[in-house]
Amino acid sequence: MSKVVRTSDSENPWSVLIAVAQIPDTGLHRRIEASPPECQALAALGGLREVLSAEASLDLALLRQGRVHVRGRVKARIGQTCVVTLDPIENDIDEAIDLIFAPPEQIPALADLVDDAAENAAEIPDPPEPIVAGTIDLGRLATDALFLAVDPYPRKPDAVFEPPVAPEDPEDHPFAALRSLQRAPGPSDSKKPKGE
C-alpha cells in the first residue's frame, strides 16, 4: 500500500503526495477530496466566489524507465458571478486528466520528442511532467485541471447582454458641449475690426 501525504500552503492549498516508489506494479487507484478549508483556499487562489466541493478519481500506472501514467477525472462545484447580471451562480466542473510523469533528467529528451511529434502529427501529445523528489502531487494535478476548466466569463443560462441604448437626441452626447463652445463667439471675436 502506498503512503499518502497531505500538505498545503497558499500556493498549493490542495496537496496530496504519492511516493512513486510505493506504487505497485499492478497500479494504484486513488480518490481524493478537498476539505472545506482546502476548498476555501482553492477559491481564493483561483479568484472564485467559492469552491463548494472538489474531488478527483485517479489511476496511476508504472511505465518503463521510472515513468508514471496518471489518468482520471476531477469534479468540482464552484460559485462564480455572472458577467452579465452580476448574480451569483454555480457551475459544475468535470475535467479529464491524462498525463505522463517522468524523472526530471528525462524531461528534456521527452520534450524534444513532443516537439518532433508536433511537427509531424495532427495531434500534439502533452509534454511530461516532472516527478519531484520521488513524488507526484495528485492534489496539485487536480487543482491545475480544475482551474483550466473554469469558464472565465460565466453567465446565467437566461442572461442576455443588452447594449446601452443610443441617445435619440443628436445634441445629447458627450461632445455636445464642445459643439456649443465652437459656435459661441469668443472674447477675441469682439476685438476684431468691423469689416473683417
Side-chain angles (χ1 to χ4, degrees):
M1 181 169 222
S2 67
K3 184 178 178 185
V4 177
V5 178
R6 291 182 80 98
T7 63
S8 67
D9 60 47
S10 62
E11 295 288 317
N12 189 19
W14 187 19
S15 181
V16 181
L17 300 176
I18 295 286
V20 172
Q22 295 180 350
I23 299 173
D25 292 339
T26 55
L28 180 69
H29 175 78
R30 279 287 172 258
R31 184 183 171 281
I32 61 173
E33 186 173 352
S35 67
E38 288 169 334
C39 285
Q40 188 175 10
L42 284 170
L45 181 64
L48 301 169
R49 191 171 46 81
E50 61 186 330
V51 174
L52 299 154
S53 65
E55 63 181 48
S57 179
L58 302 166
D59 293 306
L60 291 80
L62 292 174
L63 303 176
R64 295 178 295 120
Q65 299 176 326
R67 300 175 195 155
V68 179
H69 187 186
V70 181
R71 183 182 294 175
R73 302 196 79 77
V74 61
K75 296 183 179 184
R77 186 154 184 83
I78 61 172
Q80 294 180 274
T81 302
C82 174
V83 295
V84 176
T85 64
L86 302 181
D87 292 335
I89 57 173
E90 292 181 2
N91 288 319
D92 290 316
I93 302 288
D94 186 355
E95 185 72 6
I97 295 173
D98 190 353
L99 287 173
I100 302 291
F101 284 79
E105 63 274 8
Q106 295 180 19
I107 298 294
L110 292 172
D112 289 343
L113 291 175
V114 169
D115 290 342
D116 292 342
E119 293 174 7
N120 302 323
E123 188 173 327
I124 302 169
D126 287 328
E129 297 289 327
I131 296 170
V132 179
T135 64
I136 295 173
D137 192 341
L138 299 182
R140 180 60 181 256
L141 176 59
T143 299
D144 291 346
L146 188 160
F147 287 161
L148 284 173
V150 170
D151 182 354
Y153 305 106
R155 58 193 307 169
K156 291 170 69 171
D158 58 344
V160 178
F161 175 73
E162 295 181 14
V165 179
E168 292 181 18
D169 181 6
E171 296 296 321
D172 185 22
H173 59 81
F175 298 107
L178 292 176
R179 182 172 291 160
S180 66
L181 290 175
Q182 188 179 23
R183 292 183 193 152
S188 59
D189 292 340
S190 60
K191 295 179 183 175
K192 290 182 179 177
K194 289 182 182 180
E196 281 191 19

